[in-house]
Amino acid sequence: MVLLKENKSIFYNRSLVFEAGFDINGSDHSKPGYCSTISIGITDEINPTGELLKLHVIAIWECQRSLLGLPVSKTYLGAKL
């Protein structure tokens, strides 16, 4: 990932560890249950427990059924993707 390569040295100079990942759940982006996200985690190099200082999860695409703006698991009359 370009984001990881460009910013890793900046965080290293401040004794921080920068990790990023791309996750996909589901196989078809037009069917309910599909979700793709980018996860960015920052932790302190000195921290022996490895606890995250910051975690950002950015949703890129999510497909779900909704009825009146609320997510539903089954197909109901009037529900939208």
Side-chain angles (χ1 to χ4, degrees):
M1 291 179 68
V2 176
L3 177 68
L4 187 59
K5 289 179 185 177
E6 289 177 355
N7 295 305
K8 203 163 196 161
S9 63
I10 295 169
F11 285 94
Y12 181 76
N13 292 339
R14 296 182 181 181
S15 297
L16 297 171
V17 179
F18 176 77
E19 293 293 329
F22 182 70
D23 300 316
I24 296 177
N25 294 327
S27 58
D28 187 1
H29 67 278
S30 61
K31 295 200 178 192
Y34 180 88
C35 181
S36 59
T37 58
I38 293 177
S39 303
I40 299 172
I42 302 169
T43 186
D44 195 355
E45 211 173 65
I46 301 168
N47 189 351
T49 61
E51 280 187 41
L52 290 173
L53 296 176
K54 293 208 179 228
L55 176 65
H56 299 280
V57 179
I58 303 163
I60 297 171
W61 182 264
E62 184 174 6
C63 184
Q64 64 182 6
R65 276 191 175 73
S66 64
L67 180 65
L68 300 173
L70 300 171
V72 293
S73 59
K74 295 182 180 180
T75 304
Y76 295 105
L77 185 62
K80 295 191 258 181
L81 277 178

